[in-house]
Amino acid sequence: MRRRLTLAAAAAAPLAPSSAFTAYVLRHGQTDRNAAGIEQGSSDLSRLTDLGRRQAGDAYGALLGGGDGDAAAREVTSVYASPLARARQTLGLLREADAVNPGGPVLPASDLVLPDLREVDLYDWEGRGYGELRDAHPGSWDAWERGIPEEMTVMETREGEEPVEHHPLIELWERADAVWDEILSIEREKWSRDECGGDESSAERTALIVAHGNLGQALLGTAMGWDASGFNDPESVFGNCGLCEVDFG
């Protein structure tokens, strides 16, 4: 089910006193591994299903405001994307729909791929079924579902190296906070360049971020000033091709 939230971000300053910045955070469409109940993490083996491709088309309509009456108020000025194929596929389908939009394209011609927009790193859990993980690691799985970052641990094993224990939710929150800093820094540079060039529309900037469900939760949480214990909060969970709005004053 598509969902869109409008959140007033508290964790970052606006680009400039006279500017406004809105980010639309979009999760990719359903993948074959989503459908099979397999944990993907930041692995890059899954691809969109037929349903996932249809969801991407619906997401373009949601971006335009179709279906629920809450339109994206302005043209998208920047697009940022995860490097993983499922997000890139979703963005490609959005671009296909944008190219034939009767009202003209709303997406800029180029996008910027940011490595830190990849999905949560789940190390040895990646490629394993949900049921298998629940049975093999009941404590960590429970902490994962309930959002208890200190208790959610996953091992990383590599041949010839000592195993390493990770806290994926804590790492994810730190990465989401850092990628907001990166995006806002880029947007400030663009705002400054446009302002110097006399572009009167530069006071309002809108970004589309095409990424992932868990990373999307972390983006929303860090924008609101929540710590990683906010993971799986009902206010931040959204499904395949869920679209959420974050407004920076």
Side-chain angles (χ1 to χ4, degrees), residues 12-245:
L15 307 184
S18 61
S19 70
F21 175 57
T22 297
Y24 290 96
V25 181
L26 176 70
R27 185 185 177 188
H28 60 79
Q30 185 198 63
T31 69
D32 45 9
R33 290 197 167 194
N34 289 149
I38 295 173
E39 199 63 76
Q40 299 176 104
S42 58
S43 65
D44 201 18
L45 300 176
S46 63
R47 299 295 183 267
L48 297 188
T49 61
D50 289 342
L51 173 59
R53 296 176 67 86
R54 292 195 299 273
Q55 288 170 335
D58 291 342
Y60 183 75
L63 186 65
L64 295 180
D68 58 14
D70 232 357
R74 46 195 175 269
E75 185 175 331
V76 175
T77 53
S78 302
V79 176
Y80 300 94
S82 162
L84 302 185
R86 54 195 186 266
R88 300 294 295 164
Q89 277 187 288
T90 301
L91 176 55
L93 291 165
L94 293 179
R95 289 202 176 280
E96 288 180 14
D98 196 48
V100 296
N101 178 25
V106 299
L107 300 178
S110 61
D111 51 77
L112 183 59
V113 175
L114 300 180
D116 280 349
L117 286 176
R118 70 186 185 278
E119 181 58 297
V120 61
D121 298 317
L122 287 176
Y123 308 103
D124 289 1
W125 281 20
E126 293 176 3
R128 299 169 67 184
Y130 301 155
E132 176 193 351
L133 291 170
R134 186 182 296 111
D135 292 343
H137 309 283
S140 284
W141 185 266
D142 182 66
W144 168 247
E145 290 194 319
R146 293 170 57 198
I148 308 175
E150 297 81 5
E151 297 179 14
M152 195 270 176
T153 60
V154 176
M155 299 303 295
E156 178 186 18
T157 56
R158 295 184 179 183
E159 187 174 354
E161 298 181 14
E162 287 293 318
V164 178
E165 183 181 75
H166 290 270
H167 289 82
L169 287 178
I170 294 174
E171 294 173 0
L172 180 67
W173 240 250
E174 292 173 348
R175 177 152 55 85
D177 198 39
V179 83
W180 271 132
D181 286 344
E182 184 176 7
I183 288 171
L184 289 169
S185 177
I186 293 168
E187 290 297 321
R188 288 188 186 98
E189 288 182 12
K190 290 181 176 181
W191 180 88
S192 179
R193 184 176 63 244
D194 290 347
E195 186 78 357
C196 290
D199 184 352
E200 295 181 358
S201 67
S202 65
E204 293 186 350
R205 297 198 60 82
T206 302
L208 173 64
I209 300 171
V210 184
H212 305 273
N214 299 310
L215 185 276
Q217 284 197 58
L219 288 174
L220 298 180
T222 52
M224 293 298 294
W226 302 339
D227 63 26
S229 63
F231 182 74
N232 274 344
D233 184 287
E235 289 298 306
S236 64
V237 175
F238 51 105
N240 290 116
C241 276
L243 182 66
C244 298
E245 181 179 337

